[in-house]
Short mmCIF file of all heavy atoms in Angstrom, two decimals:
data_model
loop_
_atom_site.label_atom_id
_atom_site.label_comp_id
_atom_site.label_asym_id
_atom_site.label_seq_id
_atom_site.Cartn_x
_atom_site.Cartn_y
_atom_site.Cartn_z
N ASN A 21 98.19 97.59 128.25
CA ASN A 21 98.03 96.13 128.35
C ASN A 21 97.09 95.60 127.27
O ASN A 21 97.34 94.55 126.68
CB ASN A 21 97.51 95.74 129.73
CG ASN A 21 98.56 95.83 130.80
OD1 ASN A 21 99.74 95.92 130.51
ND2 ASN A 21 98.14 95.84 132.05
N THR A 88 86.68 78.27 145.28
CA THR A 88 87.27 78.90 146.45
C THR A 88 88.69 79.33 146.14
O THR A 88 89.29 78.89 145.15
CB THR A 88 87.29 77.94 147.64
OG1 THR A 88 88.00 76.75 147.27
CG2 THR A 88 85.87 77.57 148.07
N LYS A 115 100.42 88.05 151.75
CA LYS A 115 100.07 86.63 151.51
C LYS A 115 98.85 86.51 150.60
O LYS A 115 98.65 85.48 149.96
CB LYS A 115 99.81 85.94 152.84
CG LYS A 115 101.05 85.80 153.71
CD LYS A 115 100.72 85.05 155.00
CE LYS A 115 101.97 84.89 155.87
NZ LYS A 115 101.67 84.18 157.15
N ASN A 129 104.72 84.32 137.95
CA ASN A 129 105.13 85.71 137.81
C ASN A 129 106.62 85.80 138.16
O ASN A 129 106.99 85.73 139.33
CB ASN A 129 104.30 86.60 138.74
CG ASN A 129 104.55 88.09 138.52
OD1 ASN A 129 105.53 88.47 137.89
ND2 ASN A 129 103.67 88.91 139.03
N ALA A 134 102.51 88.75 142.48
CA ALA A 134 101.21 88.09 142.31
C ALA A 134 101.21 87.16 141.10
O ALA A 134 101.48 87.59 139.98
CB ALA A 134 100.12 89.15 142.15
N VAL A 144 83.54 78.90 129.39
CA VAL A 144 84.24 80.18 129.33
C VAL A 144 85.54 80.07 130.11
O VAL A 144 85.56 79.54 131.23
CB VAL A 144 83.38 81.33 129.92
CG1 VAL A 144 84.15 82.64 129.89
CG2 VAL A 144 82.08 81.46 129.13
N GLU A 157 103.35 91.46 130.67
CA GLU A 157 103.80 91.09 129.33
C GLU A 157 104.57 89.77 129.30
O GLU A 157 104.26 88.89 128.49
CB GLU A 157 104.60 92.23 128.70
CG GLU A 157 103.72 93.46 128.41
CD GLU A 157 104.50 94.61 127.81
OE1 GLU A 157 105.70 94.43 127.49
OE2 GLU A 157 103.91 95.70 127.65
N GLY A 173 94.30 74.23 120.09
CA GLY A 173 94.86 73.23 119.18
C GLY A 173 95.33 73.88 117.90
O GLY A 173 96.15 74.79 117.91
N HIS A 175 95.57 76.40 114.99
CA HIS A 175 95.22 77.81 115.01
C HIS A 175 95.60 78.49 113.72
O HIS A 175 96.50 78.06 113.00
CB HIS A 175 95.90 78.51 116.19
CG HIS A 175 97.39 78.60 116.05
ND1 HIS A 175 98.23 77.57 116.37
CD2 HIS A 175 98.18 79.62 115.61
CE1 HIS A 175 99.48 77.94 116.13
NE2 HIS A 175 99.47 79.17 115.68
N GLN A 198 87.71 102.86 96.92
CA GLN A 198 86.39 102.29 97.17
C GLN A 198 86.16 100.95 96.47
O GLN A 198 85.57 100.04 97.07
CB GLN A 198 85.30 103.29 96.76
CG GLN A 198 83.92 102.95 97.31
CD GLN A 198 83.88 102.94 98.82
OE1 GLN A 198 84.30 103.90 99.46
NE2 GLN A 198 83.40 101.86 99.41
N THR A 205 87.29 90.72 101.47
CA THR A 205 86.85 89.58 102.30
C THR A 205 88.02 89.17 103.18
O THR A 205 88.07 89.47 104.36
CB THR A 205 86.37 88.41 101.42
OG1 THR A 205 87.38 88.10 100.45
CG2 THR A 205 85.06 88.74 100.72
N THR A 223 94.72 93.26 106.63
CA THR A 223 94.77 92.13 107.56
C THR A 223 94.26 90.87 106.89
O THR A 223 93.18 90.87 106.29
CB THR A 223 93.92 92.43 108.81
OG1 THR A 223 94.37 93.65 109.41
CG2 THR A 223 94.03 91.30 109.82
N MET A 239 96.60 92.77 97.12
CA MET A 239 95.79 93.92 97.52
C MET A 239 96.67 95.15 97.69
O MET A 239 96.30 96.26 97.28
CB MET A 239 95.03 93.62 98.81
CG MET A 239 94.23 94.81 99.32
SD MET A 239 93.30 94.43 100.80
CE MET A 239 91.90 93.57 100.10
N ALA A 260 109.63 110.82 110.28
CA ALA A 260 111.01 111.07 110.68
C ALA A 260 111.88 109.84 110.50
O ALA A 260 113.02 109.93 110.02
CB ALA A 260 111.06 111.56 112.13
N ALA A 263 112.58 109.21 106.73
CA ALA A 263 113.54 110.17 106.19
C ALA A 263 114.94 109.85 106.69
O ALA A 263 115.92 109.88 105.92
CB ALA A 263 113.14 111.59 106.60
N LEU A 267 118.36 108.83 104.48
CA LEU A 267 119.58 109.62 104.60
C LEU A 267 120.76 108.76 105.01
O LEU A 267 121.84 108.78 104.38
CB LEU A 267 119.38 110.74 105.62
CG LEU A 267 118.49 111.91 105.20
CD1 LEU A 267 118.11 112.75 106.41
CD2 LEU A 267 119.18 112.76 104.14
N VAL A 268 120.58 107.99 106.08
CA VAL A 268 121.68 107.19 106.63
C VAL A 268 122.10 106.10 105.67
O VAL A 268 123.29 105.85 105.46
CB VAL A 268 121.27 106.60 108.00
CG1 VAL A 268 122.34 105.65 108.51
CG2 VAL A 268 121.04 107.72 109.01
N THR A 323 112.89 141.75 99.41
CA THR A 323 112.11 142.94 99.12
C THR A 323 111.17 142.70 97.95
O THR A 323 110.00 143.13 97.96
CB THR A 323 113.04 144.12 98.80
OG1 THR A 323 113.90 144.36 99.93
CG2 THR A 323 112.25 145.38 98.47
N TYR A 325 110.15 139.59 96.62
CA TYR A 325 109.22 138.46 96.70
C TYR A 325 108.58 138.28 98.08
O TYR A 325 107.56 137.61 98.21
CB TYR A 325 109.92 137.16 96.31
CG TYR A 325 110.45 137.18 94.90
CD1 TYR A 325 111.81 137.32 94.63
CD2 TYR A 325 109.58 137.05 93.82
CE1 TYR A 325 112.31 137.34 93.33
CE2 TYR A 325 110.05 137.05 92.51
CZ TYR A 325 111.42 137.20 92.28
OH TYR A 325 111.89 137.21 90.99
N GLY A 349 119.74 120.59 101.55
CA GLY A 349 119.33 121.72 102.38
C GLY A 349 117.82 121.85 102.37
O GLY A 349 117.18 121.66 101.33
N PRO A 358 98.70 133.78 114.72
CA PRO A 358 97.27 133.91 114.35
C PRO A 358 96.99 135.04 113.37
O PRO A 358 95.85 135.17 112.90
CB PRO A 358 96.61 134.19 115.70
CG PRO A 358 97.65 134.93 116.48
CD PRO A 358 98.96 134.31 116.08
N ILE A 373 113.67 122.56 98.97
CA ILE A 373 114.63 121.46 99.09
C ILE A 373 115.70 121.64 98.03
O ILE A 373 115.42 121.63 96.83
CB ILE A 373 113.96 120.08 98.92
CG1 ILE A 373 112.87 119.88 99.97
CG2 ILE A 373 115.01 118.96 99.02
CD1 ILE A 373 112.15 118.53 99.86
N SER A 390 95.53 125.95 114.35
CA SER A 390 96.13 126.89 115.29
C SER A 390 97.58 127.16 114.88
O SER A 390 98.15 126.47 114.03
CB SER A 390 96.10 126.31 116.70
OG SER A 390 96.97 125.18 116.79
N LEU A 403 109.20 116.81 106.04
CA LEU A 403 109.71 115.43 106.10
C LEU A 403 109.12 114.60 104.97
O LEU A 403 109.82 113.80 104.33
CB LEU A 403 109.37 114.80 107.45
CG LEU A 403 110.17 115.31 108.65
CD1 LEU A 403 109.53 114.84 109.95
CD2 LEU A 403 111.62 114.86 108.58
N LYS A 408 110.00 111.91 99.60
CA LYS A 408 109.74 111.75 98.16
C LYS A 408 110.98 112.14 97.35
O LYS A 408 111.34 111.45 96.38
CB LYS A 408 108.55 112.62 97.74
CG LYS A 408 107.29 112.41 98.55
CD LYS A 408 106.80 110.99 98.56
CE LYS A 408 106.15 110.58 97.26
NZ LYS A 408 105.55 109.22 97.34
N LEU A 410 114.17 112.11 98.39
CA LEU A 410 115.25 111.15 98.60
C LEU A 410 114.98 109.83 97.89
O LEU A 410 115.91 109.16 97.44
CB LEU A 410 115.45 110.91 100.10
CG LEU A 410 115.91 112.11 100.93
CD1 LEU A 410 116.02 111.72 102.40
CD2 LEU A 410 117.24 112.64 100.41
N GLN A 416 117.96 107.16 91.35
CA GLN A 416 118.84 107.65 90.29
C GLN A 416 120.30 107.35 90.54
O GLN A 416 121.12 107.48 89.64
CB GLN A 416 118.65 109.17 90.15
CG GLN A 416 117.26 109.58 89.66
CD GLN A 416 117.05 111.07 89.70
OE1 GLN A 416 117.79 111.80 90.38
NE2 GLN A 416 116.03 111.55 88.98
#
Side-chain angles (χ1 to χ4, degrees):
N21 286 344
T88 57
K115 293 182 179 179
N129 187 344
V144 178
E157 292 179 7
H175 68 278
Q198 195 61 52
T205 52
T223 304
M239 177 178 281
L267 287 166
V268 174
T323 301
Y325 299 105
I373 301 179
S390 67
L403 288 167
K408 307 303 286 186
L410 296 179
Q416 295 172 342

